[in-house]
Amino acid sequence: MTKGLNHFIKCFLGGLLTISVIFSCNDSPYMQGKRLYLANCANCHMEDGSGLSALIPSIQKSVYLGKPEIACILKNGLRDTIFKDSTFLVREMPAFKKFSATEITNIVNFVNHSWNTSFKETTITQIEEAINICQ
Amino acid sequence: MKLIFYYILGAFSLLLVSCKNNETLPYLGQTVVENGKEIHHKVGQFSHYNQDSVLMDNSSLSEYVYVADFFFTSCPSICPKVAKQMLRIYDTVQDEPMVKLVSFTIDPKRDDVKKLRLYADNLGIDHNKWYFLTGDKEATLELANTYFVAAFEDADAPGGFDHSGKILLVDKDGHVRSFSEGTDPENTPKIIEDIKKLVASYKAENK
């Protein structure tokens, strides 16, 4: 192989790598949060956070966005029962006890960054404080 | 110049191929030939109550093309995702009276008529367009097989049942003509296209 061609291929591949890294990072700066959201939340709240009609709330416009108290919902879960005609449906958000404060912070930042228009980054300290109060 | 010619030729042949695909949907499942006639797989017989306590069976749907899935209301795992895709399909067929949606519960013990009505109300759908059906459990699990949905009780699975999130398209004669994985939103546009094709083929027949 000629030296020029070799050089060209290296530059090309390097460039491709740079571009793909830039694009994948641009997607969301909260990669762990995104991964955790997709693995643990998207089943119910959907990838786009839209939920399922009245059965699972949308988090796109949730009042908890931007508030550290959202950590309490993740830690302790949430449960509501709809009654009608002597029957009921349980709307249950499971508790994610296994999540560390770091993981919760990452999820919260991912969620806020995705759907909270006045996004401000939440710190681990804020989340830890919130968790202490809700327990 | 020659290149452009080949390019146009290529584009045209692609167009031809895609038009050809428009013709008919395949028959899913085994097709046997009896006395020189092809007999295609059909879904099993059912007799189930809908969310408004009306007893329905295969003949209730013989005038319709329908989209089916198997679910249960207390399912914490894949069901919301599949329901979301059913809802997406529902939205696209609202104005097409030939199409119905049918969701069979595989947990009839908990999902009685009242529970299904409450579920349907909270999903916000038209009860005459989308039926939620409950019936004998064993019969429903067996029925699921004829729709190519694997469903069985499993104490270890989330919610006590293990099942696949397939969405099936069934024609007026009970033949399965298309399916999608309800857990993958990217699968949905294809089945929506197939519904349109099937409806169009019935309309063309009646001309």
Side-chain angles (χ1 to χ4, degrees), chain B residues 23-186:
Chain B
E23 273 171 11
T24 45
L25 296 174
Y27 289 86
L28 304 187
Q30 222 168 15
T31 295
V32 292
V33 180
E34 250 172 48
N35 301 328
K37 260 190 83 181
E38 281 191 339
I39 299 176
H40 304 294
H41 170 84
K42 274 191 186 182
V43 300
Q45 294 293 316
F46 65 87
S47 180
H48 281 49
Y49 285 95
N50 75 9
Q51 71 267 37
D52 294 311
S53 308
V54 177
L55 189 61
M56 294 184 65
D57 60 19
N58 305 63
S59 69
S60 324
L61 294 167
S62 63
E63 298 287 304
Y64 304 101
V65 158
Y66 68 97
V67 181
D69 77 330
F70 288 78
F71 87 116
F72 54 114
T73 62
S74 54
C75 161
S77 54
I78 60 172
C79 302
K81 269 194 156 170
V82 179
K84 185 81 177 188
Q85 298 313 308
M86 288 289 280
L87 207 52
R88 210 172 138 195
I89 294 169
Y90 169 85
D91 284 338
T92 68
V93 298
Q94 287 229 40
D95 299 326
E96 182 42 74
M98 200 195 289
V99 184
K100 301 275 187 191
L101 287 90
V102 179
S103 295
F104 292 93
T105 175
I106 54 172
D107 185 14
K109 209 167 130 197
R110 283 184 283 187
D111 293 343
D112 56 10
V113 165
K114 276 194 248 169
K115 177 96 79 186
L116 292 179
R117 186 186 313 145
L118 187 54
Y119 184 86
D121 282 343
N122 279 281
L123 208 52
I125 55 92
D126 174 359
H127 291 223
N128 288 320
K129 183 80 176 168
W130 188 343
Y131 304 114
F132 290 87
L133 300 184
T134 182
D136 180 71
K137 187 172 73 189
E138 288 311 315
T140 309
L141 295 181
E142 265 176 45
L143 182 71
N145 280 325
T146 72
Y147 285 81
F148 311 117
V149 173
F152 42 89
E153 273 186 280
D154 176 1
D156 295 332
F161 288 92
D162 202 350
H163 71 295
S164 70
K166 279 197 174 55
I167 294 175
L168 296 308
L169 173 63
V170 182
D171 70 17
K172 292 185 181 181
D173 296 314
H175 303 301
V176 181
R177 304 298 295 274
S178 179
F179 75 96
S180 73
E181 294 299 337
T183 45
D184 181 3
E186 288 179 11

Side-chain angles (χ1 to χ4, degrees), chain A residues 7-78:
Chain A
H7 185 74
F8 171 76
I9 290 175
K10 273 185 191 155
C11 285
F12 181 74
L13 290 180
L16 211 64
L17 195 72
T18 318
I19 289 170
S20 62
V21 166
I22 289 172
F23 271 94
S24 62
C25 289
N26 252 351
D27 194 8
S28 168
Y30 301 99
M31 287 311 286
Q32 189 197 32
K34 181 176 182 178
R35 197 168 45 71
L36 289 169
Y37 179 86
L38 291 178
N40 297 283
C41 323
N43 253 4
C44 290
H45 292 286
M46 310 298 150
E47 276 183 39
D48 64 357
S50 60
L52 182 63
S53 302
L55 294 163
I56 298 168
S58 153
I59 39 183
Q60 293 169 348
K61 292 187 181 123
S62 169
V63 293
Y64 294 100
L65 289 186
K67 297 188 186 147
E69 298 91 86
I70 193 174
C72 300
I73 301 180
L74 303 196
K75 252 322 204 206
N76 300 331
L78 208 57

